[in-house]
């Protein structure tokens, strides 16, 4: 009788352990069959080489969406990112730098789409052009601090535009996991370097403030709509334009490396890794 009781007790313990392990098992890794990437030049990554002119969108086959799609083994990847795109250009046609018109990026979304990344916002009301494009072309000092009030007004309008954009994405692709992808940190926390446009200390401070406020508005839009946000600004600390291992090209572009003040291959690889790590896990519970 003692031996039987001992065997029964051992079996009971084994059953309980087995049930406990079943209850604590990790959720299966998500898989994706149709991925659509939307965004501007920080998604398209012009001249990170092997470039698709795409009527002036200048998409690289080495941008983070392409690398991410390969890493995740996505069956179908549609990259509609286009240099110069604004939130309006996701739902309406866009005139590119080459004078061509490209269809709305959101036309690629379907009910079967199960993954969407969005990297957009910096071009609204010519924010990035005023902040960086104009500055790199000037031979004199770029007086950004003089435009602080204008930058603030533009950024005040960004979150509502992003919220509307995200809502339209979810309407067109209701099954999709949607991730809003932030912009990187462009300038060092302090100081200057030869790779930056000529700016006064107060202009560099304005540039940093706009960069930070831009990603804060993006994070707030993601939180408001309940989608995921990829914080590339924090991840890119130590990889600004002036760093020893930059993820952003300096004020002089290189047609075989990267456009001026735009993503480098190293930054695109890092961002793809960041997103892959997130997307291999189940989405956070709302």
């Amino acid at each position: 009788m003692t031996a039987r009781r001992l065997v029964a007790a051992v079996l009971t313990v084994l059953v309980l352990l087995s049930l406990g392990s079943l209850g604590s098992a990790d959720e299966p890794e998500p898989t994706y069959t149709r991925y659509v990437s939307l965004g501007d030049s920080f998604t398209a990554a012009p001249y990170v080489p092997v470039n698709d002119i795409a009527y002036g969108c200048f998409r690289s086959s080495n941008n983070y969406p392409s690398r991410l799609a390969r890493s995740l083994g996505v069956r179908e990847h549609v990259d509609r990112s286009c240099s110069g795109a604004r939130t309006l250009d996701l739902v309406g046609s866009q005139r590119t730098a080459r004078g061509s018109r490209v269809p709305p990026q959101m036309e690629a979304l379907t009910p079967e789409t199960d993954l969407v990344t969005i990297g957009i916002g910096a071009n609204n009301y010519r924010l990035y052009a005023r902040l960086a494009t104009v500055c790199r072309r000037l031979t004199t000092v770029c007086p950004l601090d003089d435009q602080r009030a204008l930058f603030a007004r533009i950024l005040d309008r960004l979150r509502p535009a992003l919220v509307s954009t995200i809502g339209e994405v979810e309407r067109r692709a209701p099954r999709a996991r949607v991730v809003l992808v932030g912009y990187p940190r462009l300038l060092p926390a302090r100081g200057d370097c030869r790779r930056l446009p000529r700016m006064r200390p107060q202009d560099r401070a304005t540039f940093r403030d706009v960069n930070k406020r831009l990603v804060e508005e993006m994070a707030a839009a993601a939180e408001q709509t309940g989608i995921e946000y990829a914080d590339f600004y924090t991840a890119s600390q130590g990889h600004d334009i002036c760093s020893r291992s930059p993820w952003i090209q300096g004020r002089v572009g290189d047609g075989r490396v990267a456009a001026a003040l735009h993503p480098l291959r190293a930054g695109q690889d890092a961002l793809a890794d960041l997103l892959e790590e997130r997307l291999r896990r189940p989405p956070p519970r709302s």
Side-chain angles (χ1 to χ4, degrees):
M1 290 294 292
T2 301
R4 288 177 184 173
R5 287 173 182 163
L6 181 60
V7 169
V10 170
L11 289 174
T12 301
V13 170
L14 290 174
V15 169
L16 290 173
L17 288 173
S18 174
L19 291 173
S21 65
L22 287 173
S24 62
D26 292 336
E27 294 183 60
E29 183 179 298
T31 57
Y32 308 95
T33 57
R34 191 173 195 276
Y35 166 32
V36 176
S37 44
L38 312 173
D40 57 27
S41 55
F42 274 72
T43 302
Y47 308 123
V48 177
V50 191
N51 209 70
D52 175 10
I53 301 300
Y55 302 100
C57 287
F58 295 99
R59 284 191 292 266
S60 171
S61 59
N62 290 317
N63 62 6
Y64 76 79
S66 298
R67 188 183 181 284
L68 180 64
R70 293 192 291 266
S71 299
L72 293 175
V74 175
R75 187 181 305 165
E76 181 184 6
H77 172 217
V78 183
D79 187 0
R80 284 295 181 87
S81 61
C82 190
S83 296
R86 306 159 298 165
T87 52
L88 288 174
D89 297 318
L90 300 189
V91 292
S93 64
Q94 176 187 347
R95 184 178 293 279
T96 69
R98 288 203 160 191
S100 300
R101 283 226 172 250
V102 292
Q105 294 189 32
M106 284 197 198
E107 283 189 356
L109 298 174
T110 65
E112 292 73 36
T113 302
D114 54 8
L115 175 62
V116 181
T117 57
I118 314 169
I120 202 78
N123 291 319
N124 280 24
Y125 308 104
R126 300 186 67 247
L127 174 64
Y128 190 76
R130 300 174 194 272
L131 188 70
T133 309
V134 171
C135 280
R136 72 175 177 81
R137 292 174 178 170
L138 287 177
T139 56
T140 56
V141 169
C142 188
L144 294 180
D145 191 61
D146 301 348
Q147 303 177 67
R148 229 177 219 280
L150 173 60
F151 292 142
R153 290 195 298 271
I154 291 173
L155 290 164
D156 286 343
R157 302 172 73 177
L158 179 58
R159 192 191 314 181
L162 288 170
V163 168
S164 175
T165 296
I166 293 164
E168 184 63 18
V169 168
E170 293 184 315
R171 188 186 71 80
R172 297 186 187 216
R175 294 179 49 245
R177 183 172 182 177
V178 182
V179 183
L180 185 63
V181 182
Y183 293 93
R185 184 188 305 253
L186 275 70
L187 268 60
R190 61 185 63 85
D192 195 2
C193 72
R194 294 179 63 184
R195 293 198 290 270
L196 291 179
R198 291 182 62 194
M199 292 182 278
R200 303 166 299 181
Q202 63 266 38
D203 301 322
R204 292 194 297 275
T206 298
F207 195 116
R208 293 186 191 100
D209 290 346
V210 172
N211 192 179
K212 188 170 185 293
R213 171 89 189 279
L214 171 64
V215 297
E216 287 172 348
E217 291 298 332
M218 295 181 76
E223 183 177 7
Q224 183 174 336
T225 54
I227 67 164
E228 295 175 68
Y229 176 67
D231 183 6
F232 194 39
Y233 181 85
T234 298
S236 62
Q237 183 172 358
H239 297 282
D240 56 78
I241 292 171
C242 295
S243 70
R244 292 184 178 180
S245 54
W247 288 353
I248 300 294
Q249 176 73 3
R251 61 182 174 81
V252 179
D254 186 328
R256 294 172 296 177
V257 178
L261 302 177
H262 274 78
L264 288 162
R265 174 70 181 268
Q268 292 290 284
D269 288 348
L271 181 50
D273 289 341
L274 179 73
L275 288 166
E276 181 185 356
E277 181 182 0
R278 172 187 287 271
L279 292 168
R280 287 197 182 281
R281 300 192 303 267
R285 298 182 187 276
S286 59

